Amino acid sequence: KSVKKGFDFTLMVAGESGLGKSTLVNSLFLTDLYKDRKLLNAEERITQTVEITKHTVDIEEKGVKLKLTIVDTPGFGDAVNNTECWKSVADYIDQQFEQYFRDESGLNRKNIQDNRVHCCLYFISPFGHGLRPLDVEFMKALHEKVNIVPVLAKADTLTPSEVKKKKIKIREEIEQYGIKIYQFPDCDSDEDEDFKQQDLELKESIPFAVIGSNTVVEAKGKRVRGRLYPWGIVEVENSAHCDFVKLRNMLVRTHMQDLKDVTRETHYENYRAQCIQSMTRMVVKERNRNKLTRESGTDFPIPVVPGVTDETEKLIREKDEEVRHPDRELDTHTISVSTGHVI
C-alpha cells in the first residue's frame, strides 16, 4: 500500500550562502530545482532578510514514487548582524506542526498532507576552526524541533587529514555545547556483520564531508560526476573522496523512515503536548473566572452608563436576577434604555 501510495519527505537545507547547498541538493536528487534562481549582487545582499522558499519535485525510481519537498533558507547568516536570524526558520517549522495539528483535530482526517520538516541538513563552513557561534546558536534553537544532520561543506578544499581533524573537532564541540543532532538508531543484535559495519561507518562519518557537482567529467575512461582540477579529478560518488554516497543512502534508502518516525514520535509529540497543555490551562482559567463571577452574582460586569441613577441601577440588577432565577417573584419594571428613566 505504501509503495503504491508513494512517500512524502521534506528536507530543509540551511547554512550561509556560497557553501554549495543548491549544488548538493541537485546532485543528491539529479534534478535542477533552482532553474529560476536569481543570484543577488553585493548591494542586494546587504538588505536581504532570511526567506523560506519551497521546491517540490516528484521522483520515481523502480516504480516507487517520492514526493520530495526542499525547504531552502536564502539569506541565512549573510548579514553583518545575525542576531536571531534563525527565528524565521524555527517559526516555519512550528507553522508546519500547527497546520498538521489543526488538520489532525479537524473532521476530515483521511487525506492529511504532511508538510512537517523531517530533516535539516546544516552546512558548516570548511574555512573556520570547527563551529562558529552562529552554528551553535542555530542548532541549539532548532534541535528540539527537527532532526539536524550536520554537513561539512566543500570538502574538496581540505586534505583528507584536515577533514578527519575537523570532523573530530566538530563532534567534540557538538557534545560540549549539548547540541542534540540526529542519532542513528542502534543495530539489533541479530543483524549481520556487514550491516553493523555500515552503521558504525555512518556514525563515524558525522558531520558528512560532502562535495557537490552537476557536471560530468571523464576519469580513467569512465564518465563520472565530479570536479576537474589541474592536479586531478574529484569524484562526487567515490567514497574515498567524500561522504556524498553515505549521505544519499542515509537520506533516501536506509534512514528516511526513521527520520520520519522521530519527527512524528518525538518532535511533533512534544509540540502537540505543549499545545494541549496550554489549551487545558486556558480552559481551567476560564472555568475559574466563570466560577468567581457566578459566586459574585453576575456573569459579566454591568457597564456604568452616564446619567443612570442608583435607583435605575438597582432595577437593572433586579431584572438581571429575574432572568437568572425566574422562580423568584420580583416586581417588574420597564426601563427606557435611551433616557435611563423608569416608566
Side-chain angles (χ1 to χ4, degrees), residues 57-227:
V57 62
D58 292 311
I59 299 168
E60 191 168 339
E61 192 177 316
K62 293 176 185 174
V64 180
K65 291 176 189 171
L66 171 67
K67 187 191 173 195
L68 177 75
T69 305
I70 302 291
V71 181
D72 203 351
T73 56
F76 172 80
D78 292 348
V80 175
N81 181 4
N82 288 309
T83 310
E84 292 197 335
C85 64
W86 54 84
K87 199 163 185 329
S88 55
V89 181
D91 288 346
Y92 176 82
I93 293 168
D94 282 341
Q95 280 166 17
Q96 303 316 307
F97 281 156
E98 186 188 349
Q99 187 57 52
Y100 194 87
F101 183 66
R102 283 174 188 274
D103 292 346
E104 201 181 44
S105 310
L107 292 171
N108 183 16
R109 296 189 297 176
K110 272 187 181 176
N111 302 312
I112 297 176
Q113 198 172 356
D114 186 4
N115 289 321
R116 296 171 295 183
V117 180
H118 300 119
C119 178
C120 173
L121 291 184
Y122 185 73
F123 285 68
I124 298 163
S125 171
F127 309 120
H129 296 282
L131 298 175
R132 296 167 306 157
L134 178 62
D135 302 331
V136 174
E137 290 302 319
F138 175 89
M139 289 197 270
K140 281 180 89 169
L142 268 80
H143 65 177
E144 299 283 4
K145 298 174 187 285
V146 69
N147 297 310
I148 296 174
V149 175
V151 167
L152 184 60
K154 294 193 169 180
D156 50 340
T157 61
L158 304 166
T159 63
S161 61
E162 283 174 334
V163 168
K164 202 174 178 181
K165 281 179 191 170
K166 200 154 284 227
K167 281 186 174 191
I168 292 166
K169 172 91 171 145
I170 290 167
R171 282 202 295 265
E172 282 173 358
E173 288 183 342
I174 283 169
E175 199 171 324
Q176 180 190 332
Y177 292 113
I179 298 164
K180 299 171 193 166
I181 59 167
Y182 171 65
Q183 296 295 317
F184 294 107
D186 293 322
C187 284
D188 295 329
S189 54
D190 58 346
E191 295 284 0
D192 58 24
E193 289 304 314
D194 289 348
F195 187 81
K196 284 181 182 175
Q197 186 59 34
Q198 276 180 1
D199 190 65
L200 187 67
E201 282 175 18
L202 211 55
K203 285 174 181 172
E204 287 175 353
S205 298
I206 292 283
F208 293 100
V210 293
I211 302 163
S213 173
N214 300 319
T215 53
V216 176
V217 293
E218 200 162 312
K220 296 173 187 173
K222 287 193 295 182
R223 289 175 65 76
V224 292
R225 275 192 305 147
R227 289 180 177 272

Side-chain angles (χ1 to χ4, degrees), residues 3 85 219 238 329:
V3 169
C85 64
N238 187 336
E329 285 186 19

